Amino acid sequence: MRTRVHGWRWRRNPLRRSSDVVEAWTVLIVAVLLFVVAPLVGAAAGLRAHGEARTVAAAQRAERHLVRARVIGDPPERLSAVQGDREHPYRAEVRWTEPGKGARTAWARVPAGTRTGDTVSVWFDARGRNVAPPAGDAVVWQHAVTVGVCAAGGAAAVVLLGHAVERRIALRHRLSEWEREWARTGPRWTQPRT
């Protein structure tokens, strides 16, 4: 003889308690929140982050400009002592010519291994300060995906934490229901029969 166990919390039976019904509904709600709402939260956060990152990248592209400059300063002494450190970029003096402004000189971060006289690409902002290149599409998408995944993970963590708290509360209610039931039926089972 085979008994049906699946879905017993949804069917009417004398052993089903109100806490069992609450737990069944909670499991259903948690499943919907985890598999529908958390991904939607991640997608919404990712799309918003993508829009903001594209705006920032566009502003950076508008403000920054690429210059092909010649390195005129010698590399720092510590680099020549290590025979041209090939791993770490360093700051060097560079010179370039801008149309209408003539020759300009500034300090800029140049790639590792650059020697005096080499031509390098450097980025400057409107004030003439050396800055990092503007964010490209890959960086924008990486930022959007990271934010989306973190938002979905955070939403899932909140749902799971809430479910754990609900399970603890449901367990306490279930134990108190069992205590009340036992207080009513226990004396009939533990009394000596005559």
Side-chain angles (χ1 to χ4, degrees):
M1 183 162 119
R2 188 172 175 171
T3 59
R4 292 176 57 194
V5 177
H6 297 294
W8 68 272
R9 289 183 172 112
W10 297 102
R11 293 190 306 267
R12 294 205 179 273
N13 66 57
L15 297 177
R16 184 182 75 173
R17 300 191 189 314
S18 61
S19 62
D20 297 329
V21 175
V22 168
E23 188 173 352
W25 278 104
T26 303
V27 167
L28 182 65
I29 291 169
V30 165
V32 168
L33 289 174
L34 281 178
F35 296 114
V36 176
V37 175
L40 287 176
V41 166
L47 287 174
R48 181 180 174 127
H50 182 264
E52 290 175 358
R54 282 184 59 191
T55 303
V56 169
Q60 286 178 347
R61 280 192 296 276
E63 178 188 80
R64 299 174 184 185
H65 59 281
L66 179 65
V67 172
R68 296 286 296 164
R70 183 172 304 275
V71 178
I72 59 172
D74 291 329
E77 286 298 322
R78 70 170 188 82
L79 289 178
S80 50
V82 190
Q83 297 173 352
D85 187 3
R86 297 261 179 218
E87 294 179 17
H88 304 289
Y90 62 92
R91 293 182 58 80
E93 195 172 8
V94 295
R95 178 178 290 151
W96 72 99
T97 303
E98 281 190 24
K101 293 186 180 178
R104 296 195 56 196
T105 305
W107 285 89
R109 193 173 261 318
V110 297
T114 304
R115 302 277 182 226
T116 304
D118 290 349
T119 302
V120 294
S121 297
V122 290
W123 287 88
F124 290 98
D125 64 5
R127 296 182 192 167
R129 294 179 302 186
N130 178 232
V131 291
D137 286 339
V139 173
V140 169
W141 277 106
Q142 181 182 13
H143 174 72
V145 168
T146 302
V147 168
V149 167
C150 289
V158 168
V159 168
L160 292 175
L161 181 64
H163 181 60
V165 168
E166 182 278 328
R167 294 258 330 199
R168 190 173 195 99
I169 292 170
L171 179 63
R172 285 184 182 165
H173 283 292
R174 185 179 303 119
L175 290 176
S176 67
E177 283 178 350
W178 287 349
E179 288 291 329
R180 285 193 301 273
E181 290 289 326
W182 183 250
R184 277 188 270 158
T185 58
R188 286 187 279 167
W189 286 71
T190 57
Q191 279 183 344
R193 298 189 182 215
T194 56

